[in-house]
């Protein structure tokens, strides 16, 4: 029974947090599950917004004082069957900065399609040539910030709209 299983996990979670057992009745289980899921989505949104903002700051620094070098894809590492059973591709770029040779694996490819031997300009900051990008715009970072903010604000608005938190406390105080 999913309700009994959810109640067990919630009871264990409360015991870990507070050291006490929480009296859980059937009316509380699904609202608690919804609360936890919506809170997790909100936290994911905050993390996405923060990480994307860091990337946005990196792009701004690149535009201000970044340098460009031609990089060549020397191989593409494939990670088979991830979470959704699809493959993930990581291009490995080779390039030189001030006579020093670098071979660095890039972040996974989601929307780009690269081939081994392909050359492209890479932009980097002089103090850290191993942190680079081939993207020319901030669009991806801006979109991710907007999605993150939407998830975070949407989660709070959803919980406020359905008044779940006060309903939960009413049920637990009455039950």
């Amino acid at each position: 029974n999913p309700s009994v299983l959810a109640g067990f996990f919630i009871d264990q979670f409360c015991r870990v947090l507070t050291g006490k057992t929480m009296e859980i009745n059937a009316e509380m289980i699904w609202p608690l599950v919804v609360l936890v899921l919506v809170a997790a989505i909100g936290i994911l949104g905050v993390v996405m917004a923060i990480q994307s903002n860091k990337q946005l700051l990196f792009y701004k620094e690149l535009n201000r004082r970044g340098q460009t070098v031609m990089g060549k894809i020397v191989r593409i590492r494939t990670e088979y069957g991830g979470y959704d059973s699809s493959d993930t591709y990581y291009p490995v770029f080779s390039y030189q900065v001030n006579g020093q040779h670098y071979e660095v694996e890039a972040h996974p490819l989601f929307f780009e399609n690269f081939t081994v031997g392909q050359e492209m300009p890479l932009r980097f900051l002089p103090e850290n040539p191993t942190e680079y990008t081939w993207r020319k715009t901030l669009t991806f970072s801006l979109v991710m910030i907007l999605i993150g903010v939407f998830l975070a604000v949407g989660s709070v608005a959803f919980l406020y709209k359905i008044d779940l938190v006060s309903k939960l406390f009413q049920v637990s105080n009455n039950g």
Side-chain angles (χ1 to χ4, degrees), residues 1-17 20-26 28-30 32-33:
N1 183 351
S3 296
V4 172
L5 187 61
F8 171 77
F9 283 116
I10 293 168
D11 180 57
Q12 294 302 313
F13 179 72
C14 291
R15 186 175 295 181
V16 167
L17 287 180
K20 300 176 187 173
T21 302
M22 183 176 176
E23 192 68 36
I24 297 177
N25 60 39
M28 291 176 63
I29 291 176
W30 291 113
L32 279 170
V33 169

Side-chain angles (χ1 to χ4, degrees), residues 19-156:
K20 300 176 187 173
T21 302
M22 183 176 176
E23 192 68 36
I24 297 177
N25 60 39
E27 288 179 47
M28 291 176 63
I29 291 176
W30 291 113
L32 279 170
V33 169
V34 169
L35 176 67
V36 169
L37 288 176
V38 172
I41 290 170
I43 291 168
L44 173 68
V46 169
V47 170
M48 280 177 62
I50 290 170
Q51 290 295 64
S52 298
N53 188 52
K54 287 180 184 177
Q55 190 70 23
L56 184 66
L57 295 174
F58 174 68
Y59 278 106
K60 284 184 175 183
E61 279 299 302
L62 279 177
N63 288 338
R64 199 169 65 78
R65 58 187 185 84
Q67 297 178 1
T68 302
V69 66
M70 286 304 289
K72 183 177 186 177
I73 299 177
V74 293
R75 68 180 173 282
I76 298 176
R77 184 174 68 84
T78 305
E79 204 170 88
Y80 297 100
Y83 172 72
D84 60 353
S85 297
S86 63
D87 299 340
T88 305
Y89 303 98
Y90 300 83
V92 178
F93 286 94
S94 176
Y95 55 97
Q96 283 194 355
V97 175
N98 297 328
Q100 169 100 23
H101 180 261
Y102 294 93
E103 199 168 284
V104 183
E105 184 174 280
H107 296 291
L109 301 176
F110 294 110
F111 306 111
E112 296 94 355
N113 191 13
F114 294 139
T115 57
V116 173
Q118 182 177 352
E119 291 187 4
M120 58 192 349
L122 303 175
R123 298 183 319 146
F124 64 94
L125 295 175
E127 67 271 11
N128 189 3
T130 60
E131 189 174 335
Y132 62 89
T133 186
W134 58 87
R135 293 185 177 101
K136 295 179 180 150
T137 67
L138 309 171
T139 307
F140 185 75
S141 293
L142 292 173
V143 168
M144 294 306 286
I145 287 172
L146 290 174
I147 290 171
V149 168
F150 174 78
L151 289 175
V153 171
S155 298
V156 171

